[in-house]
Amino acid sequence: MDITGDPSSGYEVSGQIDGSDSIGIYNSDGELVAEGTADEAGSFSIEFDADQVVPGETLKIISEDEDGNTGSEFQVTVPYEKSEEIDEEAAASDGGGNGNLPDTGVPAAPLGIAAAGLLILGSILTFFRRSPK
């Protein structure tokens, strides 16, 4: 299951389930946010407005067969900012990163430089501490 979108343009939940079941997306209060149906291969994509959910909220995706039997149940978390699917070819060519730490958006380079500096400093201190006088 995957959820994409942002608070300004709305969201889309897509995924794969067994069979061509109907799918309901429910908010944390158990209210139906959106519904749709999977195709014969089990693929689905359901769009809904941003005002129906809150960023950070956990949504339940529940499938139901034509007899009303509940099938698979999944959970996704509504993203805070626009998330985009990564083009696999582009990810392979540039290492798949954008220079920010995942989930935080903090630039990784300054943290990496600071970590390398601390590692070097620790190595130097260890060397001088153990060397005979």
Side-chain angles (χ1 to χ4, degrees):
M1 295 300 133
D2 188 37
I3 184 168
T4 57
D6 63 54
S8 63
S9 65
Y11 298 97
E12 178 180 18
V13 173
S14 58
Q16 183 85 22
I17 60 170
D18 294 329
S20 58
D21 295 347
S22 63
I23 295 131
I25 301 173
Y26 299 87
N27 65 16
S28 57
D29 294 330
E31 299 168 340
L32 182 66
V33 172
E35 58 187 337
T37 304
D39 64 17
E40 292 175 2
S43 297
F44 69 91
S45 179
I46 303 171
E47 295 181 4
F48 52 95
D49 294 331
D51 62 354
Q52 295 178 286
V53 295
V54 177
E57 180 177 21
T58 300
L59 304 178
K60 284 187 181 179
I61 295 118
I62 302 173
S63 67
E64 188 176 287
D65 66 16
E66 59 191 34
D67 295 327
N69 300 317
T70 301
S72 303
E73 184 174 317
F74 303 93
Q75 292 185 349
V76 294
T77 302
V78 178
Y80 287 95
E81 297 177 13
K82 185 172 181 87
S83 62
E84 299 175 4
E85 292 185 31
I86 298 174
D87 179 22
E88 290 180 21
E89 187 176 313
S93 67
D94 72 358
N98 61 3
N100 294 332
L101 295 175
D103 298 330
T104 63
V106 174
L111 293 175
I113 293 169
L118 289 172
L119 181 61
I120 292 169
L121 180 63
S123 298
I124 291 170
L125 291 175
T126 301
F127 175 76
F128 283 116
R129 187 166 189 225
R130 292 185 181 210
S131 63
K133 293 186 178 188

